C-alpha cells in the first residue's frame, strides 16, 4: 500500500496588527484552494497564523494581550476554513494563540493543532521551548516577550497515527532543540510539522543576518536526517510591523535534503509529494535506535567530560 502524501507548505506574508481575522482567513483559504488544485492531502500553516507576531509588543495588561488569543478552535472566523478543508478532504496544521480554562484556571499557550481530512481534530501541541524574555530591556530595539505572554507547553511531544503514518508537531523555537525531534523519533515519527515566525536579524547580538536562514535550514535538515523523518517547516515572513522576518519555508526528506522551498517573503504555496516509506531506510540502518543507540553509556561519557586543567608550570 502506497504511503505517498502530497503536502503543501502554506507560507504567509506579514500580518499587520490592524488586519482582521476574517481578512487573514481569506488569505488562508486562497492558499487552501491552491493546495486543492495541486492535489494536496495536507496543508501546513505557520505559527500564530491568525495574527501579527504580537509577543513583540510590550503589553502588561492581560486584557490588552487577550485580544490576540482564541478561546475556541474553530472560532467564528476560522470555521469557514475548517469547513472548506473538510469539503476538500484536506488535513491541516494550524498555529494559534490559545487561551483555555482547565481545572478552573486560565492558561495561555502557543499552540498548534492537526485537523484531519474529516474536519476532526487529530491532536494538539503546545510550544515547549519559549524564547525571548519577560522583562523590558530599554537597550533593545526589538523584543520577544513570549515568556510573558505564554506558559511552557504541558503536553510533551506526542505523535499520532494519522495520514498513513506517524505524525508529530512542534512550534518555531522547538526546531532548534535536538530533543524535540529525538523524543518524537523514539516514538517512530515519520512526519514532523513545524510553523515559525523568526526575525531576519538578531537584535540582541552581532550575529550575521545570513546565519538566521542558515540556522533555520540546519535545524530542520539535521532533525530530519538524525531521526529518519520528513520535516515540514513553514514561515510567516516579510516585513511585519516594522520587523523583518525570514521565509525559507521548506519540505525536508528523511535524507536531510530539501525537496521544495519557498522563494518569496509573501503568501506562497510550496508543494511536494512525500513518500513516508522513505523513512524506513534510515530507521532500519544508521538510525536504528534499538540496535545502535546506547543511552546506558551516556552517563559514563558525561562523567568523563569537563575542562582539562592546564599543565603545571
Amino acid at each position: 500500500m502506497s504511503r505517498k502524501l502530497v503536502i503543501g507548505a502554506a507560507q504567509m506574508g506579514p500580518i499587520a496588527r490592524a488586519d482582521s481575522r476574517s481578512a487573514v482567513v481569506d488569505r488562508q483559504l486562497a492558499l487552501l484552494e491552491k493546495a486543492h488544485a495541486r492535489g494536496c492531502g495536507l496543508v501546513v500553516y505557520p505559527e500564530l497564523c491568525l495574527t501579527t507576531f504580537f509577543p513583540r509588543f510590550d503589553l502588561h495588561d492581560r486584557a490588552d494581550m487577550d485580544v490576540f488569543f482564541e478561546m475556541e478552535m474553530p472560532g467564528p472566523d476560522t470555521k469557514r476554513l475548517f469547513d472548506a478543508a473538510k469539503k476538500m478532504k484536506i488535513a491541516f496544521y494550524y498555529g494559534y494563540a490559545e487561551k483555555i480554562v482547565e481545572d478552573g484556571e486560565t492558561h495561555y499557550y502557543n499552540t498548534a493543532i492537526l485537523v484531519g481530512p474529516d474536519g476532526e481534530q487529530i491532536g494538539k501541541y503546545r510550544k515547549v521551548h519559549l524564547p525571548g524574555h519577560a522583562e523590558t530591556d530599554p537597550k533593545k530595539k526589538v523584543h520577544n516577550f513570549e515568556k510573558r505572554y505564554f506558559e511552557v507547553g504541558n503536553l510533551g511531544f506526542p505523535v499520532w497515527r494519522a495520514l498513513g503514518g506517524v505524525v508529530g508537531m512542534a512550534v518555531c523555537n522547538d526546531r532548534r532543540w535536538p530533543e524535540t525531534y529525538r523524543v518524537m523519533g523514539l516514538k517512530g515519527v515519520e512526519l514532523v510539522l513545524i510553523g515559525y515566525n523568526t526575525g531576519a536579524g538578531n537584535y540582541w547580538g552581532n550575529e550575521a543576518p545570513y546565519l538566521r536562514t542558515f540556522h533555520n535550514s540546519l535545524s530542520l535538515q539535521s532533525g530530519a536526517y538524525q531521526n529518519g523523518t520528513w520535516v515540514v517547516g513553514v514561515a510567516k515572513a516579510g516585513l511585519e510591523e516594522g520587523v523583518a522576518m525570514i521565509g525559507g519555508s521548506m519540505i525536508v526528506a528523511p535524507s536531510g535534503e530539501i525537496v521544495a522551498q519557498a522563494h518569496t517573503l509573501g503568501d506562497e504555496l510550496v508543494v511536494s509529494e512525500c513518500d513516508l516509506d522513505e523513512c524506513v531506510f534510515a530507521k532500519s540502518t544508521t538510525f536504528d535506535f534499538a540496535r545502535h543507540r546506547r543511552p546506558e553509556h551516556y552517563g559514563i561519557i558525561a562523567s568523563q567530560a569537563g575542562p582539562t586543567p592546564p599543565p603545571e608550570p
Side-chain angles (χ1 to χ4, degrees):
M1 179 178 176
S2 174
R3 296 202 299 147
K4 294 180 180 179
L5 178 65
V6 180
I7 300 176
Q11 177 174 290
M12 297 186 68
I15 299 174
R17 186 172 184 175
D19 288 347
S20 69
R21 282 167 169 74
S22 180
V24 173
V25 171
D26 285 342
R27 292 165 55 187
Q28 294 169 351
L29 281 167
L31 289 164
L32 187 71
E33 289 166 0
K34 290 180 180 179
H36 182 248
R38 297 183 65 178
C40 292
L42 170 66
V43 171
V44 183
Y45 291 101
E47 172 192 28
L48 300 177
C49 68
L50 262 178
T51 64
T52 193
F53 184 74
F54 57 85
R56 68 171 64 95
F57 301 134
D58 192 1
L59 303 179
H60 294 267
D61 189 314
R62 181 47 77 174
D64 293 334
M65 300 179 188
D66 278 3
V67 299
F68 299 105
F69 285 79
E70 310 303 313
M71 288 288 291
E72 57 182 341
M73 188 59 68
D77 293 302
T78 51
K79 186 178 184 303
R80 56 199 177 99
L81 178 69
F82 278 67
D83 291 344
K86 180 179 179 180
K87 183 177 181 180
M88 298 176 192
K89 294 182 171 56
I90 296 177
F92 63 97
Y93 164 111
Y94 202 76
Y96 66 100
E98 177 190 22
K99 177 182 178 181
I100 189 168
V101 178
E102 294 179 324
D103 299 324
E105 295 184 358
T106 303
H107 299 279
Y108 298 86
Y109 299 106
N110 190 337
T111 295
I113 55 173
L114 178 62
V115 179
D118 60 357
E120 297 298 316
Q121 182 175 301
I122 293 170
K124 176 183 286 187
Y125 170 76
R126 291 167 175 161
K127 186 173 181 178
V128 169
H129 299 101
L130 298 177
H133 40 271
E135 301 304 321
T136 306
D137 184 343
K139 293 180 291 186
K140 290 183 171 64
K141 294 185 296 182
V142 177
H143 286 80
N144 180 349
F145 293 112
E146 285 191 63
K147 285 182 166 63
R148 180 190 301 172
Y149 280 83
F150 301 116
E151 301 168 51
V152 172
N154 62 350
L155 301 178
F157 291 99
V159 299
W160 297 269
R161 290 200 173 277
L163 308 177
V166 181
V167 185
M169 295 186 281
V171 175
C172 197
N173 192 47
D174 290 320
R175 75 193 188 278
R176 303 182 190 278
W177 300 84
E179 301 95 313
T180 298
Y181 306 94
R182 183 48 47 89
V183 171
M184 290 187 277
L186 289 167
K187 298 176 181 180
V189 78
E190 297 173 308
L191 175 61
V192 178
L193 313 176
I194 306 174
Y196 60 91
N197 286 203
T198 298
N202 188 331
Y203 302 96
W204 306 282
N206 295 319
E207 181 182 60
Y210 81 89
L211 288 174
R212 305 295 282 174
T213 53
F214 169 70
H215 288 151
N216 178 56
S217 301
L218 179 67
S219 299
L220 297 172
Q221 291 179 261
S222 60
Y225 168 66
Q226 292 176 343
N227 295 277
T229 182
W230 288 90
V231 172
V232 182
V234 184
K236 174 142 64 65
L239 187 65
E240 183 179 270
E241 296 294 328
V243 178
M245 298 191 299
I246 66 168
S249 299
M250 66 183 69
I251 299 173
V252 184
S255 62
E257 297 169 284
I258 299 171
V259 298
Q261 187 169 13
H263 297 288
T264 73
L265 294 175
D267 292 7
E268 179 181 354
L269 185 73
V270 179
V271 176
S272 179
E273 180 180 79
C274 303
D275 187 347
L276 299 183
D277 282 335
E278 289 185 25
C279 300
V280 174
F281 176 76
K283 291 181 184 297
S284 61
T285 56
T286 305
F287 295 108
D288 183 335
F289 296 152
R291 287 198 298 145
H292 306 313
R293 188 171 176 268
R294 291 292 174 263
E296 66 273 16
H297 288 282
Y298 298 166
I300 298 171
I301 295 168
S303 70
Q304 297 169 344
T308 302
E312 294 292 332

